[in-house]
Amino acid sequence: MNPNPLLGVPLHWLGGFASGSFYVPFRGVRKWSWETYWLVGGIFSWLICPWIFALLLTHHLGAVLAAQSFSTLWWTYFFGVLWGLGGLTYGLTMRYLGLSLGTGIALGFCAAFGTLMPPLFKLIVPTIPVAESLVQIAATSSGQITLGGVGVCLFGIVIAALAGKAKEGEMTPAAKRAAVPEFNFRKGLFVGTFCGIMSACFAFGLTAGTPIADSSTAAGTSAIWSGLPKLVVVLLGGCTTNLIWCVILHRRNGSGGEYVGRCAEAAPLGRNYLFSALAGTTWYFQFFFYTMGETQMGRYSFASWTLHMASIIIFATMWGWILKEWSGSSRKAHRLIAGGVATLVLSTIVIGWGTYLKSRGAP
């Protein structure tokens, strides 16, 4: 099956919707510490869902993974570990900045590093499994349009950050606490920057795992599902980082008993497990659709990361409006965040146009 970028773009939008929405079910959790519901949701995100869907939709999963070189498995796993640091601080970014602004700041850096660094590194290490270097991409008109879309995306993220700064300066402390109880722009900006840079390692992990996808295709897996086996390895790395940190927090805060109802206040266990599992499963689907979309982008698969990040920011901003995170802020702040979202929508259109021209054989 030949790549079809016109199918790839909406698949990335579906992944963005899943990622932009996953934190919403966590708001239904009651009387659990952050580390408890984060780890329960994570078990579904990093272990249960990846294995279930890879076993159901691919061929000979165990044999495919066993056939990989140590180098392939190690680098795919290792980048997952580094990405796990970003995943940890993503939760903190949401706590300090809220869904809409936190997502914009964190994923802005993630989009820049995750999109541009793989083709840039190909200039240094030509053997890495990336279709083209940044120079080769920039040498074609369709590539220039696609790179221009990446630039538009980054500009939209800057606008979103300006909206957050305006929001902090305008809202009263009471309004900030009502919208986002722990709102702190300075702390959130620092954490969000670290989160975005480390989260970009997921893109590197997917690139390192290309031989796994190729082996899965050779084993009879349909191309559109071929990315699922490498998700098993990348997400195992992320699970390692998050598990270690959550265990440390349990020991520090004495919150380990919350899983079985041993806490200061009686927690609704059934409800908490249900909402945490829903959040974790929703989160996994972002990369379920991402790997599908990536298989359809052809030589411009590098743009997949930008499309994914931009769509997440758009849908997370939508949830921020629905949950009234911008209540009490001025028209200026509202105009800025609306302008930022509109610019991000424009970036996906530009990137889609570039990939469309390439699919039509444009130079």
Side-chain angles (χ1 to χ4, degrees), residues 261-347:
R262 296 176 183 172
C263 46
E265 299 181 75
L269 291 183
R271 172 195 177 103
N272 287 357
Y273 276 107
L274 175 63
F275 279 110
S276 297
L278 178 60
T281 302
T282 302
W283 187 93
Y284 166 76
F285 272 111
Q286 70 167 309
F287 289 117
F288 177 84
F289 287 114
Y290 178 91
T291 54
M292 292 172 64
E294 187 184 35
T295 65
Q296 300 302 304
M297 296 299 289
R299 66 184 289 192
Y300 288 139
S301 61
F302 81 96
S304 292
W305 197 247
T306 297
L307 285 169
H308 185 63
M309 296 298 107
S311 59
I312 293 172
I313 295 170
I314 291 166
F315 288 115
T317 301
M318 175 196 73
W319 280 113
W321 280 327
I322 292 173
L323 298 173
K324 299 182 179 180
E325 291 180 352
W326 294 85
S327 295
S329 55
S330 70
R331 290 184 179 180
K332 175 185 176 182
H334 280 276
R335 285 196 298 268
L336 282 170
I337 192 61
V341 172
T343 305
L344 292 169
V345 172
L346 176 62
S347 76

Side-chain angles (χ1 to χ4, degrees), residues 3 5-6 142 300 353-363:
L6 293 181
S142 54
Y300 288 139
W353 177 247
T355 55
Y356 170 73
L357 289 178
K358 183 58 190 175
S359 70
R360 296 293 299 270

Side-chain angles (χ1 to χ4, degrees), residues 15 28 46 56 99-100 113 122 238:
W46 312 314
L56 289 175
L99 268 171
S100 54
F113 279 82
K122 191 171 180 66

Side-chain angles (χ1 to χ4, degrees), residues 108-109 111-113 116 149-159 306 344 347:
F109 286 98
F113 279 82
L116 299 178
V150 175
V152 173
C153 173
L154 297 179
F155 181 63
I157 290 155
V158 170
I159 297 174
T306 297
L344 292 169
S347 76

Side-chain angles (χ1 to χ4, degrees), residues 94-116:
M94 299 304 101
R95 288 169 62 183
Y96 294 138
L97 297 179
L99 268 171
S100 54
L101 179 59
T103 301
I105 297 295
L107 299 191
F109 286 98
C110 194
F113 279 82
T115 299
L116 299 178

